[in-house]
Amino acid sequence: MATLYELKLRLASPWLGNQRTREAVRRFRRDDLGKIAIDLPQWNWTFKQAALALHMDNIDTDTIRPQANIDPPKFVLYRRNYTHNNKQCNEMFEAMRENSVVTFNMLVTDVAHGSSAPAGKSPPNAEQLTAILKFTGEFLGLSPWGGNYGYGRFSVE
């Protein structure tokens, strides 16, 4: 049986866009409605990594289906300062600031789309999904740019 969850994530670090633009500001990729388009393969990868790290070998993370877009809170411009070849550099990003709350839906299906359940694996229940999301928020982040630099970290509300 499929279960729909409404999630509220409080950003612990800025969530940055990654699409280069002519204005020299990296922006979020948008869908036809102007909402932020989710990079589903990236999100699925993070859920798999979280489940593996939490030793949830019996969880089929392919059954976790976030909605395809997010209606974001207010955007700000964020200046990322960094050093490259001993030279100070900066780059501008469209961003959701830390402490913003992002709300979206996530569906957990009974089997992954177009397949049967892998042997010995099952969809996550509410507690397991929360654990996967908490781990993702603390260690991996979901920002389309810079998760490995600490951007897009969050806590589950």
Side-chain angles (χ1 to χ4, degrees), residues 18 92 134:
N18 68 334
M92 297 300 292
K134 283 182 177 180

Side-chain angles (χ1 to χ4, degrees), residues 82-135:
Y82 61 98
T83 303
H84 180 68
N85 293 334
N86 293 324
K87 181 181 172 192
Q88 280 298 112
C89 303
N90 65 65
E91 190 171 10
M92 297 300 292
F93 291 84
E94 180 177 55
M96 290 181 270
R97 72 175 69 219
E98 72 183 80
N99 284 323
S100 296
V101 175
V102 179
T103 304
F104 61 96
N105 293 316
M106 188 168 291
L107 178 69
V108 176
T109 61
D110 53 354
V111 294
H113 180 70
S115 67
S116 58
K121 292 198 174 218
S122 61
N125 60 31
E127 290 174 0
Q128 292 163 326
L129 180 62
T130 300
I132 288 169
L133 289 168
K134 283 182 177 180
F135 184 93

Side-chain angles (χ1 to χ4, degrees), residues 25-147:
V25 174
R26 289 190 188 222
R27 298 198 180 276
F28 288 97
R29 190 169 56 91
R30 301 245 188 357
D31 66 7
D32 294 341
L33 302 172
K35 295 181 179 184
I36 294 175
I38 298 303
D39 183 351
L40 294 173
Q42 177 211 355
W43 283 36
N44 290 340
W45 178 86
T46 61
F47 300 150
K48 282 185 192 314
Q49 298 310 303
L52 288 170
L54 294 168
H55 306 289
M56 293 183 177
D57 302 330
N58 61 330
I59 297 301
D60 182 5
T61 58
D62 289 334
T63 60
I64 303 171
R65 308 300 307 161
Q67 70 183 57
N69 57 31
I70 294 176
D71 194 8
K74 184 178 171 187
F75 289 125
V76 296
L77 282 179
Y78 178 87
R79 179 186 304 272
R80 177 180 173 257
N81 298 309
Y82 61 98
T83 303
H84 180 68
N85 293 334
N86 293 324
K87 181 181 172 192
Q88 280 298 112
C89 303
N90 65 65
E91 190 171 10
M92 297 300 292
F93 291 84
E94 180 177 55
M96 290 181 270
R97 72 175 69 219
E98 72 183 80
N99 284 323
S100 296
V101 175
V102 179
T103 304
F104 61 96
N105 293 316
M106 188 168 291
L107 178 69
V108 176
T109 61
D110 53 354
V111 294
H113 180 70
S115 67
S116 58
K121 292 198 174 218
S122 61
N125 60 31
E127 290 174 0
Q128 292 163 326
L129 180 62
T130 300
I132 288 169
L133 289 168
K134 283 182 177 180
F135 184 93
T136 298
E138 187 173 345
F139 293 102
L140 302 170
L142 289 174
S143 178
W145 191 93

